Amino acid sequence: MRVIAGKARRLNLKTIPGIDTRPTTDRIKETLFNMIQYDIAGCTFLDLFSGSGGVGIEALSRGAKQAYFVEKAKPALRCIRENLRYTKLDKKAQVLATDVNSAIRQLETKNVTFDHIFMDPPYKKGFEEEVLSIIDRSSICTEDTVVIVESSLDTEIPDFEKLKVIRVKEYKTNKHTFLMKIVED
Protein backbone atom coordinates (compact mmCIF):
# COMPACT_ATOMS: atom_id res chain seq x y z
CA MET A 1 0.00 0.00 0.00
CA ARG A 2 1.34 3.42 -0.92
CA VAL A 3 0.44 7.09 -1.15
CA ILE A 4 -0.79 7.69 -4.70
CA ALA A 5 -0.33 11.46 -5.18
CA GLY A 6 0.67 14.72 -3.54
CA LYS A 7 3.45 15.60 -1.11
CA ALA A 8 4.00 12.03 0.09
CA ARG A 9 3.59 10.48 -3.39
CA ARG A 10 5.03 6.99 -3.87
CA LEU A 11 5.86 6.47 -0.20
CA ASN A 12 4.99 2.97 0.97
CA LEU A 13 2.78 2.75 4.03
CA LYS A 14 2.89 0.09 6.72
CA THR A 15 -0.12 -2.14 7.10
CA ILE A 16 -1.34 -4.16 10.05
CA PRO A 17 -0.48 -7.85 9.84
CA GLY A 18 -3.34 -10.32 9.98
CA ILE A 19 -6.91 -10.35 8.75
CA ASP A 20 -8.50 -7.94 11.23
CA THR A 21 -8.05 -4.98 8.88
CA ARG A 22 -8.65 -4.76 5.17
CA PRO A 23 -6.76 -1.81 3.67
CA THR A 24 -8.34 0.01 0.74
CA THR A 25 -6.36 -1.11 -2.30
CA ASP A 26 -4.25 1.41 -4.19
CA ARG A 27 -6.45 1.08 -7.27
CA ILE A 28 -9.69 1.73 -5.38
CA LYS A 29 -8.10 4.57 -3.39
CA GLU A 30 -6.88 6.15 -6.63
CA THR A 31 -10.35 5.92 -8.18
CA LEU A 32 -11.95 7.42 -5.06
CA PHE A 33 -9.55 10.37 -4.97
CA ASN A 34 -9.91 10.96 -8.71
CA MET A 35 -13.64 11.38 -8.03
CA ILE A 36 -13.18 13.89 -5.18
CA GLN A 37 -9.83 15.45 -6.13
CA TYR A 38 -11.12 18.99 -6.65
CA ASP A 39 -12.65 19.09 -3.16
CA ILE A 40 -9.61 17.91 -1.17
CA ALA A 41 -7.29 20.95 -1.14
CA GLY A 42 -7.88 22.88 2.07
CA CYS A 43 -10.55 20.51 3.39
CA THR A 44 -11.00 18.96 6.81
CA PHE A 45 -11.14 15.16 6.48
CA LEU A 46 -12.43 12.53 8.93
CA ASP A 47 -11.26 8.92 8.53
CA LEU A 48 -13.44 6.60 10.66
CA PHE A 49 -12.34 3.00 11.27
CA SER A 50 -8.94 4.20 10.04
CA GLY A 51 -6.99 0.93 10.05
CA SER A 52 -3.51 1.88 8.84
CA GLY A 53 -4.64 5.44 8.00
CA GLY A 54 -4.07 5.15 4.26
CA VAL A 55 -7.16 7.07 3.14
CA GLY A 56 -6.71 9.99 5.54
CA ILE A 57 -2.99 10.13 4.72
CA GLU A 58 -3.85 10.26 1.01
CA ALA A 59 -6.16 13.23 1.74
CA LEU A 60 -3.38 15.03 3.64
CA SER A 61 -0.85 14.29 0.90
CA ARG A 62 -3.23 15.80 -1.65
CA GLY A 63 -3.64 19.03 0.31
CA ALA A 64 -6.24 18.56 3.03
CA LYS A 65 -5.54 21.12 5.74
CA GLN A 66 -6.32 18.66 8.53
CA ALA A 67 -7.32 15.02 8.96
CA TYR A 68 -8.71 13.23 11.97
CA PHE A 69 -8.16 9.48 12.32
CA VAL A 70 -10.48 7.41 14.52
CA GLU A 71 -9.34 3.94 15.51
CA LYS A 72 -9.55 1.92 18.71
CA ALA A 73 -7.30 -1.11 17.95
CA LYS A 74 -3.84 -0.59 19.47
CA PRO A 75 -1.85 -2.22 16.60
CA ALA A 76 -3.71 -0.04 14.09
CA LEU A 77 -3.09 3.09 16.18
CA ARG A 78 0.65 2.37 16.21
CA CYS A 79 0.56 1.84 12.45
CA ILE A 80 -1.31 5.14 11.83
CA ARG A 81 1.14 7.10 13.95
CA GLU A 82 4.17 5.47 12.27
CA ASN A 83 2.72 6.18 8.81
CA LEU A 84 2.00 9.80 9.71
CA ARG A 85 5.56 10.31 10.99
CA TYR A 86 7.09 8.53 7.98
CA THR A 87 5.12 10.68 5.51
CA LYS A 88 5.84 13.82 7.58
CA LEU A 89 2.12 14.59 7.70
CA ASP A 90 1.71 14.16 11.45
CA LYS A 91 1.49 17.90 12.19
CA LYS A 92 -1.78 18.11 10.24
CA ALA A 93 -3.29 15.02 11.87
CA GLN A 94 -5.29 14.28 14.98
CA VAL A 95 -5.48 10.63 16.04
CA LEU A 96 -8.40 9.72 18.29
CA ALA A 97 -7.83 6.43 20.10
CA THR A 98 -11.44 5.53 20.76
CA ASP A 99 -14.53 3.98 19.20
CA VAL A 100 -16.36 5.87 16.46
CA ASN A 101 -19.41 6.82 18.56
CA SER A 102 -17.27 8.34 21.33
CA ALA A 103 -15.12 10.15 18.76
CA ILE A 104 -18.16 11.74 17.13
CA ARG A 105 -19.38 12.98 20.55
CA GLN A 106 -15.91 14.42 21.31
CA LEU A 107 -15.78 16.19 17.96
CA GLU A 108 -19.27 17.62 18.48
CA THR A 109 -18.25 19.15 21.82
CA LYS A 110 -15.29 20.81 20.06
CA ASN A 111 -17.62 22.15 17.30
CA VAL A 112 -15.53 20.51 14.57
CA THR A 113 -17.17 20.07 11.16
CA PHE A 114 -15.86 18.14 8.18
CA ASP A 115 -15.85 18.57 4.44
CA HIS A 116 -15.38 14.81 3.93
CA ILE A 117 -16.18 11.91 6.23
CA PHE A 118 -14.84 8.55 5.09
CA MET A 119 -15.71 5.30 6.82
CA ASP A 120 -14.56 1.77 6.10
CA PRO A 121 -15.96 -0.36 8.93
CA PRO A 122 -15.59 -4.14 9.19
CA TYR A 123 -17.91 -5.70 6.61
CA LYS A 124 -21.20 -7.41 7.43
CA LYS A 125 -21.42 -6.24 11.05
CA GLY A 126 -24.04 -3.51 10.60
CA PHE A 127 -21.75 -0.61 11.51
CA GLU A 128 -22.59 1.32 8.35
CA GLU A 129 -26.22 1.97 9.20
CA GLU A 130 -25.52 2.50 12.92
CA VAL A 131 -22.80 5.11 12.34
CA LEU A 132 -24.63 6.84 9.48
CA SER A 133 -27.70 7.29 11.69
CA ILE A 134 -25.47 9.04 14.26
CA ILE A 135 -23.82 11.20 11.57
CA ASP A 136 -27.29 12.05 10.21
CA ARG A 137 -28.11 13.81 13.51
CA SER A 138 -24.60 15.09 14.23
CA SER A 139 -23.30 18.63 13.97
CA ILE A 140 -19.96 17.34 12.53
CA CYS A 141 -21.80 16.88 9.23
CA THR A 142 -23.13 19.98 7.44
CA GLU A 143 -25.02 20.42 4.17
CA ASP A 144 -21.64 20.69 2.42
CA THR A 145 -20.18 17.49 3.90
CA VAL A 146 -19.67 14.48 1.63
CA VAL A 147 -19.92 11.19 3.52
CA ILE A 148 -18.28 8.21 1.81
CA VAL A 149 -18.90 4.64 2.95
CA GLU A 150 -16.74 1.76 1.76
CA SER A 151 -18.69 -1.49 2.08
CA SER A 152 -19.24 -4.91 0.58
CA LEU A 153 -21.20 -5.02 -2.67
CA ASP A 154 -24.22 -6.58 -0.96
CA THR A 155 -24.48 -4.00 1.83
CA GLU A 156 -27.47 -1.75 1.27
CA ILE A 157 -26.97 1.84 2.38
CA PRO A 158 -30.39 3.47 2.87
CA ASP A 159 -31.35 7.12 2.88
CA PHE A 160 -31.69 8.64 6.33
CA GLU A 161 -33.74 11.57 7.60
CA LYS A 162 -31.25 14.12 6.25
CA LEU A 163 -28.40 12.05 4.76
CA LYS A 164 -29.31 10.90 1.26
CA VAL A 165 -27.42 8.65 -1.15
CA ILE A 166 -26.23 10.76 -4.08
CA ARG A 167 -23.91 8.30 -5.85
CA VAL A 168 -22.69 4.70 -5.74
CA LYS A 169 -19.45 3.51 -7.34
CA GLU A 170 -19.10 -0.27 -7.56
CA TYR A 171 -15.83 -2.16 -7.94
CA LYS A 172 -15.21 -5.90 -8.35
CA THR A 173 -15.18 -6.65 -4.62
CA ASN A 174 -16.74 -3.65 -2.85
CA LYS A 175 -18.31 -0.23 -3.37
CA HIS A 176 -18.28 3.41 -2.29
CA THR A 177 -21.59 5.03 -1.40
CA PHE A 178 -21.64 8.84 -1.30
CA LEU A 179 -24.15 10.67 0.87
CA MET A 180 -24.94 14.33 1.62
CA LYS A 181 -27.34 16.10 3.95
CA ILE A 182 -30.35 17.24 2.01
CA VAL A 183 -32.40 19.83 3.88
CA GLU A 184 -35.82 20.16 2.36
CA ASP A 185 -37.65 23.47 2.64
Side-chain angles (χ1 to χ4, degrees):
M1 189 172 75
R2 63 187 171 86
V3 180
I4 307 296
K7 293 177 185 175
R9 183 179 182 180
R10 294 190 182 114
L11 291 179
N12 289 321
L13 299 175
K14 292 184 179 187
T15 58
I16 302 127
I19 59 169
D20 290 339
T21 59
R22 171 193 25 73
T24 301
T25 65
D26 287 349
R27 182 176 297 233
I28 290 174
K29 186 168 52 172
E30 183 173 18
T31 300
L32 170 64
F33 277 92
N34 284 342
M35 293 168 65
I36 63 173
Q37 66 185 334
Y38 299 111
D39 301 324
I40 294 299
C43 83
T44 304
F45 196 94
L46 177 59
D47 188 351
L48 300 173
F49 303 95
S50 297
S52 61
V55 172
I57 289 170
E58 186 72 33
L60 286 172
S61 180
R62 291 175 181 242
K65 74 176 173 188
Q66 190 164 31
Y68 289 73
F69 298 81
V70 177
E71 180 59 61
K72 68 177 185 176
K74 284 182 172 53
L77 286 164
R78 277 191 301 276
C79 189
I80 293 166
R81 289 183 176 115
E82 287 175 23
N83 283 332
L84 285 166
R85 278 191 299 274
Y86 176 66
T87 58
K88 296 180 173 70
L89 295 168
D90 50 330
K91 299 220 181 332
K92 294 182 175 186
Q94 297 283 329
V95 180
L96 303 175
T98 188
D99 65 272
V100 168
N101 296 346
S102 297
I104 291 171
R105 284 194 300 274
Q106 286 175 32
L107 294 165
E108 286 173 334
T109 62
K110 294 178 182 179
N111 295 317
V112 180
T113 61
F114 295 93
D115 301 296
H116 286 83
I117 300 172
F118 177 83
M119 59 184 269
D120 184 8
Y123 288 179
K124 302 182 189 287
K125 299 206 176 193
F127 289 122
E128 297 89 354
E129 199 164 333
E130 176 188 334
V131 174
L132 286 170
S133 68
I134 293 167
I135 292 171
D136 186 57
R137 299 182 308 272
S138 175
S139 61
I140 69 168
C141 180
T142 70
E143 290 178 45
D144 297 322
T145 304
V146 177
V147 180
I148 305 161
V149 182
E150 188 167 315
S151 65
S152 65
L153 286 170
D154 60 351
T155 299
E156 291 298 320
I157 306 291
D159 285 337
F160 293 83
E161 184 180 334
K162 296 175 187 161
L163 274 178
K164 307 294 182 194
V165 175
I166 58 167
R167 183 176 188 178
V168 178
K169 172 66 175 158
E170 292 189 356
Y171 309 97
K172 288 181 184 177
T173 58
N174 59 4
K175 67 182 176 182
H176 284 134
T177 304
F178 297 76
L179 301 97
M180 285 187 81
K181 273 191 178 179
I182 307 296
V183 179
E184 298 171 0
D185 297 327

